[in-house]
Amino acid sequence: MITTPWRVARRRTAPSLTVAAALIAGLTACTGPTAPTTPSVLCGRTVDPDLLRSLLPDGEIKAKQESVGDPQTSNCVVTVDGSRRLYINEIRDQKYFEVQKKISVGPNPKQSGTSGNAVISDGWYVSMSPCHKRGSKSNYVLDVILSVSHAQAHKKRSQLEKFATAYRPEGLRAMGCR
């Protein structure tokens, strides 16, 4: 057999490639499984992943738009490992009403400090905002429900309010109000 410089070089690099592959595999194995990523878009709306993650338990987050066949309504269901955990319902072209007087929104309802016409309770947030692009009598309703135990809903009240407040401008835009 004739030894060429190419064959010699190949023989020399083979052991070093094996060692490099073993090192990479070893480093990957040490890091363990990667945590599921938190989406930055839910049903076509941009969201803050940190605010979303603060509401939900650990696990794989998925969102699905549930159509009701009405362009004035958007229903987004967020699951964690297949269990429904968050519902985001949006309705536009609504007549004005005072949310706190008209809707019973669960335990411990109070007017939200984020909007003059919004209510926060344990596990539930509802707000009404003007939908200017649809006319002076059109309003947008954001209804966000957290599906957790009563104790967890009470603990996550502040996070729910922050998430919904950050979500509202994006919802208004997506529903054609801005």
Side-chain angles (χ1 to χ4, degrees):
M1 175 172 159
I2 301 174
T3 304
T4 64
W6 177 80
R7 286 191 182 187
V8 171
R10 185 172 172 194
R11 286 186 195 148
R12 288 183 195 147
T13 58
S16 61
L17 288 177
T18 304
V19 170
L23 284 172
I24 290 171
L27 290 175
T28 304
C30 290
T31 61
T34 58
T37 59
T38 303
S40 59
V41 176
L42 296 177
C43 300
R45 274 72 159 158
T46 302
V47 298
D48 182 328
D50 293 333
L51 293 175
L52 178 62
R53 176 51 64 199
S54 73
L55 287 175
L56 304 172
D58 291 337
E60 183 182 12
I61 300 171
K62 291 186 179 179
K64 180 180 178 189
Q65 186 78 38
E66 291 193 346
S67 175
V68 292
D70 181 358
Q72 296 174 330
T73 304
S74 172
N75 298 323
C76 184
V77 177
V78 180
T79 61
V80 178
D81 292 337
S83 295
R84 292 174 177 232
R85 296 297 183 162
L86 186 67
Y87 300 86
I88 305 169
N89 306 303
E90 300 169 271
I91 307 164
R92 71 164 197 231
D93 298 339
Q94 294 294 296
K95 291 182 181 178
Y96 180 85
F97 60 87
E98 288 185 42
V99 173
Q100 192 165 13
K101 291 181 180 179
K102 200 82 156 160
I103 297 178
S104 174
V105 292
N108 304 314
K110 292 187 178 162
Q111 183 172 348
S112 172
T114 63
S115 169
N117 198 10
V119 175
I120 181 71
S121 71
D122 295 347
W124 201 347
Y125 175 93
V126 179
S127 70
M128 177 175 275
S129 304
C131 184
H132 296 297
K133 279 193 172 181
R134 306 279 306 163
S136 63
K137 294 185 180 183
S138 179
N139 293 283
Y140 163 84
V141 175
L142 174 61
D143 178 18
V144 183
I145 303 167
L146 185 59
S147 180
V148 296
S149 71
H150 178 69
Q152 283 294 316
H154 184 72
K155 288 179 186 176
K156 298 210 177 253
R157 184 181 178 116
S158 174
Q159 291 97 325
L160 176 61
E161 188 172 36
K162 287 176 186 173
F163 172 81
T165 301
Y167 182 95
R168 187 177 35 219
E170 181 68 12
L172 281 160
R173 184 202 55 75
M175 293 296 284
C177 294
R178 286 191 176 169

